[in-house]
Amino acid sequence: MSAGEFSERVRLAVAAGDVAEVEKLLSSDWAASWTQKRAKDVLDEIRDGGTLSPTSALNYALIVAISAANQLHVAQAQCNALRLRIEELEESATAYKGIWREENTPYRPGALTTHKGVLWHAWKVTSARPGASSDWQLMVKRARD
């Protein structure tokens, strides 16, 4: 694939809003090897005391753009992983929700509530009344008078 073909594929994927295709192209082996080769060419040209030709300047700009896109891709992946972990933690967090009320449903896993003087723990998302479903587990029985 030539640089022109690569650029055109990236342009079309961006125009189509196909984020997955853009990420795939920018993280491809071709993009990595092209970036390394162009970076070496630009550095060699600078070391030889020459000024950057328009082609080298364009190559340099593309190197910076691809590098930035790859860094952005990695950062987005890390943020997505953290977002998913936060959602998992929030879903499994144990929290007392007060006295059970039908209007407060659904209760999430880990929710604690009291119903008829008894403390219940929700095992999964539920709108069932505590004690009427296996969605709830009895935690603390009512004390005798």
Side-chain angles (χ1 to χ4, degrees), residues 90-108:
E90 286 177 345
E91 285 181 11
S92 66
T94 301
Y96 180 66
K97 301 297 185 182
I99 297 171
W100 185 86
R101 297 186 194 290
E102 191 168 2
E103 60 269 13
N104 292 342
T105 60
Y107 287 83
R108 297 174 78 159

Side-chain angles (χ1 to χ4, degrees), residues 105-121:
T105 60
Y107 287 83
R108 297 174 78 159
L112 300 176
T113 189
T114 49
H115 180 62
K116 296 185 178 179
V118 177
L119 182 63
W120 297 90
H121 171 267

Side-chain angles (χ1 to χ4, degrees), residues 16-145:
D18 189 347
V19 176
E21 180 65 13
V22 172
E23 290 176 345
K24 181 178 132 189
L25 287 167
L26 293 177
S27 63
S28 68
D29 290 340
W30 185 90
S33 65
W34 184 90
T35 302
Q36 290 171 348
K37 184 177 183 328
R38 290 302 165 278
K40 183 184 177 309
D41 293 346
V42 169
L43 287 173
D44 288 346
E45 190 172 333
I46 292 170
R47 276 193 208 112
D48 293 342
T51 58
L52 289 178
S53 66
T55 301
S56 292
L58 178 59
N59 284 341
Y60 181 72
L62 285 171
I63 291 165
V64 171
I66 289 172
S67 175
N70 284 335
Q71 290 173 359
L72 178 61
H73 171 69
V74 168
Q76 286 174 332
Q78 290 171 335
C79 285
N80 287 340
L82 288 171
R83 188 176 298 110
L84 288 173
R85 182 65 181 135
I86 289 169
E87 288 174 7
E88 287 173 6
L89 290 170
E90 286 177 345
E91 285 181 11
S92 66
T94 301
Y96 180 66
K97 301 297 185 182
I99 297 171
W100 185 86
R101 297 186 194 290
E102 191 168 2
E103 60 269 13
N104 292 342
T105 60
Y107 287 83
R108 297 174 78 159
L112 300 176
T113 189
T114 49
H115 180 62
K116 296 185 178 179
V118 177
L119 182 63
W120 297 90
H121 171 267
W123 282 110
K124 57 185 174 181
V125 175
T126 183
S127 295
R129 182 180 304 272
S133 152
S134 63
D135 298 348
W136 294 97
Q137 180 174 4
L138 174 70
M139 284 188 64
V140 179
K141 269 185 150 181
R142 177 183 215 154
R144 285 187 278 185
D145 292 335

